[in-house]
Amino acid sequence: MSEEKLIELAKTGDRDALRDLVKKYEKTLYSFAFKICRNREKAENVMQETFLSMLKSLKGFDGNSKLSTWLYRISVNHCLMSARKAKKDMFVEPDDDEELFSERHAADWSTIPYKSVENQELREILDRSIAKLAPEYRIVFTLRDVQQLSTEETAGITGLSVPAVKSRLHRARAFLRNEISKEFQR
Amino acid sequence: MKFENVQCKDVMVYICENLKEDIDSERCRAIRHHIETCGSCSDYSASIECIINWYRDYDPGFSEQLHTNLLKKLDLE
């Protein structure tokens, strides 16, 4: 059955259609929420709240955007609400371009085993680096690079302008890369 | 942006466009040309792709229990 038909049935309260929509998006939304929240309990909560919002507002879904885009938008809001409860000093906002693009971060990557993500040390460093990145930046990085949405879709979901998405994305990437360089230079 | 004018710092700033965005723009062609001929930037570009690929492949898993909890929460059991 097409997604349009499923949505149409779900809007009438058809439980099978609602279950099918949940089944279709639950893994994607959980994985997305986990990559933003970095905590299984919070990710489960965000996923549940996202689908609760879907049940409540599906009748108002006009189909002008894809259902997945609409669900990501709801999920982003729940992720940000969850992040606001966390201590602000847990995260770094990479907004200092001079620091981010400083020549001193131009490490010799030939000495860093970045080609092998099987390398346990590198995986742990990547994990810690992403955890430090402020959620607003992690959201853009995850939507754009990990979920591979377009810049325009990412802008639509986050409510940012296209230039702001690009700016946050390249800052997030530079921040992560610099964090990894710093760890390997220790 | 002319080919010969691209500096390593430009690559770091505009890598966003180079990785699958606006790939036919003059600026991206210039950036690509620079990356192909600069070892440091080639490593930089590869390192960014490595980070992206790692997080893309990062799978937190999804248990049957999560599915059951969700249907219960939504009253769709």
Side-chain angles (χ1 to χ4, degrees):
Chain A
M1 193 185 295
S2 71
E3 184 167 286
E4 289 74 21
K5 185 72 189 164
L6 271 179
I7 294 168
E8 202 180 300
L9 287 170
K11 280 181 173 182
T12 68
D14 184 302
R15 292 169 64 82
D16 287 335
L18 285 167
R19 265 194 294 268
D20 284 350
L21 287 177
V22 167
K23 184 83 184 154
K24 184 170 181 184
Y25 289 107
E26 61 186 359
K27 283 182 193 156
T28 304
L29 289 179
Y30 177 74
S31 176
F32 174 71
F34 181 81
K35 285 173 179 175
I36 304 301
C37 300
R38 314 278 309 163
N39 172 294
R40 291 188 185 279
E41 197 182 327
K42 285 181 183 172
E44 182 177 7
N45 189 46
V46 164
M47 175 189 66
Q48 290 180 348
E49 291 299 323
T50 301
F51 281 117
L52 278 172
S53 298
M54 182 190 88
L55 295 191
K56 204 157 51 172
S57 312
L58 190 61
K59 282 185 183 161
F61 174 67
D62 55 15
N64 284 336
S65 63
K66 289 190 280 188
L67 182 66
S68 58
T69 305
W70 190 66
L71 290 172
Y72 274 128
R73 197 178 302 140
I74 298 170
S75 187
V76 161
N77 288 334
H78 286 297
C79 285
L80 286 173
M81 273 193 276
S82 173
R84 281 185 197 116
K85 291 175 192 162
K87 285 183 183 167
K88 219 171 164 40
D89 59 5
M90 282 172 64
F91 309 117
V92 178
E93 293 218 15
D95 53 5
D96 181 352
D97 279 1
E98 282 301 310
E99 167 62 17
L100 276 179
F101 301 107
S102 157
E103 288 296 330
R104 70 189 176 82
H105 291 309
D108 178 6
W109 278 76
S110 61
T111 62
I112 298 173
Y114 67 86
K115 284 174 184 154
S116 171
V117 285
E118 296 308 312
N119 180 304
Q120 185 61 23
E121 186 189 6
L122 178 61
R123 288 168 64 159
E124 285 168 10
I125 290 170
L126 282 165
D127 214 21
R128 280 202 297 275
S129 303
I130 286 173
K132 272 193 215 170
L133 187 61
E136 291 82 358
Y137 289 80
R138 211 183 300 152
I139 284 168
V140 170
F141 174 72
T142 306
L143 286 170
R144 185 67 193 84
D145 279 343
V146 179
Q147 307 299 118
Q148 301 183 69
L149 302 186
S150 69
T151 307
E152 288 72 20
E153 280 178 293
T154 304
I157 289 166
T158 55
L160 295 167
S161 65
V162 165
V165 167
K166 288 185 178 183
S167 168
R168 282 199 186 179
L169 185 62
H170 82 245
R171 285 174 178 174
R173 286 170 175 172
F175 172 82
L176 293 172
R177 187 240 185 217
N178 292 347
E179 284 296 306
I180 295 161
S181 298
K182 276 194 267 178
E183 292 257 11
F184 275 101
Q185 281 166 359
R186 274 178 195 158
Chain B
M1 187 181 281
K2 296 275 191 292
F3 278 15
E4 64 272 22
N5 293 340
V6 174
Q7 304 294 313
C8 294
K9 196 171 174 179
D10 297 322
V11 173
M12 293 164 80
V13 172
Y14 294 116
I15 195 101
C16 177
E17 278 75 20
N18 184 264
L19 291 172
K20 302 175 184 65
E21 278 189 72
D22 307 332
I23 51 171
D24 289 325
S25 70
E26 190 182 351
R27 183 170 68 178
C28 272
R29 284 199 301 275
I31 294 279
R32 269 207 308 279
H33 175 77
H34 179 93
I35 288 174
E36 283 162 12
T37 54
C38 173
S40 168
C41 289
S42 173
D43 275 347
Y44 179 80
S45 173
S47 69
I48 296 286
E49 291 218 46
C50 161
I51 295 165
I52 291 168
N53 289 335
W54 173 78
Y55 214 40
R56 203 175 279 165
D57 293 342
Y58 191 113
D59 180 11
F62 192 84
S63 66
E64 195 54 40
Q65 189 60 49
L66 280 172
H67 175 70
T68 307
N69 292 349
L70 178 59
L71 290 188
K72 194 173 174 186
K73 181 90 178 176
L74 301 175
D75 197 20
L76 285 174
E77 292 164 290

